[in-house]
Amino acid sequence: MDAHVTGTAHTEHTHPTAGLYFKVGLVLFVLTALEVGLYEITYGERAGSFAPTIKPLFVPLLLLLSAAKFALVAMFYMHLKQDHKLFSGVFVFPLIIAAFVIVALIVLQAYHFAFARAG
Amino acid sequence: MTAHAHAAHLETSTGLDNRKLAIWTFIGSECMFFATLISNYLVNKGKSLVGPFPHESWTSPSGQHFEPIFEIPLVTLGTALLLFSSLFVVLALSGAQRGNRKALLGWLAATLACGIFFVGMQVYEFTHFVHRGLGFTTNLFGSSFFTLTGFHGTHVTLGVLWLATVWVDALRGKLPPSKSLNLEMAALYWHFVDVVWIIIFPVVYLIK
């Protein structure tokens, strides 16, 4: 049997090769550079005349880039793409609740401040 | 069939290694933990009545001037090194699973170096902030920032210590391919610490 296994009975899938790990690492590096570049051209010293145009898209783009990085690390480096689906479930279910908690608290605070200001 | 494969066949109700399921469950609970800290930072964002502030300069009523406190280039370097450390630790795991001791020790040492640099960067940043007038109780930003990044830094420190013990085991020849799960568990924790920073970096440092 190939020694390149995960070490669990039902998850004896081969992990990605070193080449794929390097490719994912390169993509992560590029995405991080894009994040910082986006910040620089929107708010940094290199912010140009088109900065006001980018500003409404700044937060959604940053969140999209960080979500892509998150997914790449989870799928390839944490091996969720190859491993047993139960591991994905154990990770993703609390992640959904965590995201819900963050959104709920932000909405609650926003409502509270809007209500306090109105009344 | 190798000893590694024999070790893989475990009599558990799920057919999966309980230790790996346990670390994933722990990581799931950690998601909730960091969600509360990130929420705390976000709901208090922009509500500080006094400076120093993260992105704007501020002059106190007594006339003392404070520059924006964040140093994005330094944190970007720390972020890049933390991402590289995730790459290094999977390469170390690959080495451990193939029985390549040289790759295991080398990549794990590189991971540790990146982790230690990141912790050093945070210690420098915190010290620098305190010298520039931002303490834990200075304002809402200080309290939520130090709580969130401080807990993350503590996790990174614990990850460095965990990986260091695995590295010592590997150095002593106590990490054969059949025991590579010992490294895989530490690596999963390390990747989790990395993905949390992937969220913290834009949310705290880049979004104004």
Side-chain angles (χ1 to χ4, degrees), chain B residues 100-146:
Chain B
N100 185 342
R101 191 164 171 266
K102 197 176 166 185
L104 163 62
L105 288 171
W107 289 121
L108 206 48
T111 309
L112 285 168
C114 290
I116 290 167
F117 178 90
F118 185 86
V119 173
M121 183 273 293
Q122 268 205 325
V123 169
Y124 167 80
E125 187 187 38
F126 282 17
T127 311
H128 191 59
F129 283 6
V130 170
H131 284 155
R132 291 177 68 180
L134 183 73
F136 186 72
T137 55
T138 305
N139 55 21
L140 268 175
F141 163 67
S143 301
S144 52
F145 171 82
F146 283 119

Side-chain angles (χ1 to χ4, degrees), chain B residues 52-177:
Chain B
F53 298 123
H55 296 284
E56 303 87 23
S57 54
W58 179 69
T59 306
S60 68
S62 62
Q64 196 178 358
H65 186 72
F66 295 90
E67 288 297 320
I69 209 146
F70 279 159
E71 290 190 28
I72 303 294
L74 177 71
V75 184
T76 303
L77 179 64
T79 304
L81 284 176
L82 203 59
L83 282 173
F84 282 133
S85 74
S86 260
L87 167 64
F88 297 156
V89 82
V90 281
L91 293 170
L93 178 62
S94 177
Q97 288 170 339
R98 286 183 285 110
N100 185 342
R101 191 164 171 266
K102 197 176 166 185
L104 163 62
L105 288 171
W107 289 121
L108 206 48
T111 309
L112 285 168
C114 290
I116 290 167
F117 178 90
F118 185 86
V119 173
M121 183 273 293
Q122 268 205 325
V123 169
Y124 167 80
E125 187 187 38
F126 282 17
T127 311
H128 191 59
F129 283 6
V130 170
H131 284 155
R132 291 177 68 180
L134 183 73
F136 186 72
T137 55
T138 305
N139 55 21
L140 268 175
F141 163 67
S143 301
S144 52
F145 171 82
F146 283 119
T147 305
L148 173 57
T149 57
F151 267 111
H152 180 266
T154 307
H155 278 72
V156 176
T157 307
L158 292 174
V160 167
L161 292 173
W162 190 355
L163 288 171
T165 60
V166 176
W167 188 82
V168 170
D169 269 357
L171 192 67
R172 288 176 176 175
K174 292 180 179 174
L175 199 71

Side-chain angles (χ1 to χ4, degrees), chain A residues 32-33 67 83 96 98 100 102 109 117:
Chain A
T32 305
D83 271 356
I96 292 168
F100 179 77
I102 292 173
Q109 280 288 314
R117 278 184 184 181

Side-chain angles (χ1 to χ4, degrees), chain A residues 1 3-6 8-10 15 21 32 39 58 66 73 77-78 83 87 90 94 97-98 102 105 109 113, chain B residues 4-5 8 15-17 20 24-25 28 32 35 39 43 47 55 83 87 90 94 97-98 184 191 195 198 206 208:
Chain A
M1 181 176 277
H4 204 64
V5 294
T6 59
T8 54
H10 288 255
H15 281 174
Y21 288 143
T32 305
Y39 173 82
F58 179 69
S66 66
V73 173
Y77 287 173
M78 296 172 96
D83 271 356
F87 298 134
V90 166
I97 299 175
I102 292 173
L105 280 171
Q109 280 288 314
F113 272 83
Chain B
H4 179 206
L16 303 169
D17 193 304
K20 196 166 170 180
W24 271 112
T25 309
M32 308 288 286
S39 303
V43 298
K47 295 193 177 79
H55 296 284
L83 282 173
L87 167 64
V90 281
S94 177
Q97 288 170 339
R98 286 183 285 110
E184 190 170 359
H191 293 310
V195 293
I198 283 173
L206 299 183
K208 282 196 174 188

Side-chain angles (χ1 to χ4, degrees), chain A residues 15-83:
Chain A
H15 281 174
T17 59
L20 184 63
Y21 288 143
F22 275 109
K23 281 178 192 165
V24 172
L26 183 66
V27 174
L28 289 171
F29 182 77
V30 170
L31 291 177
T32 305
L34 281 174
E35 282 180 340
V36 180
L38 194 62
Y39 173 82
E40 280 297 320
I41 61 169
T42 312
Y43 294 108
E45 290 169 8
R46 291 165 190 81
S49 56
F50 50 90
T53 317
I54 305 170
K55 271 182 188 173
L57 300 170
F58 179 69
V59 173
L61 280 173
L62 266 191
L63 293 180
L64 199 68
L65 288 169
S66 66
K69 286 165 67 182
F70 189 106
L72 281 171
V73 173
M75 282 164 60
F76 294 100
Y77 287 173
M78 296 172 96
H79 303 127
L80 284 181
K81 199 167 184 286
Q82 295 87 29
D83 271 356

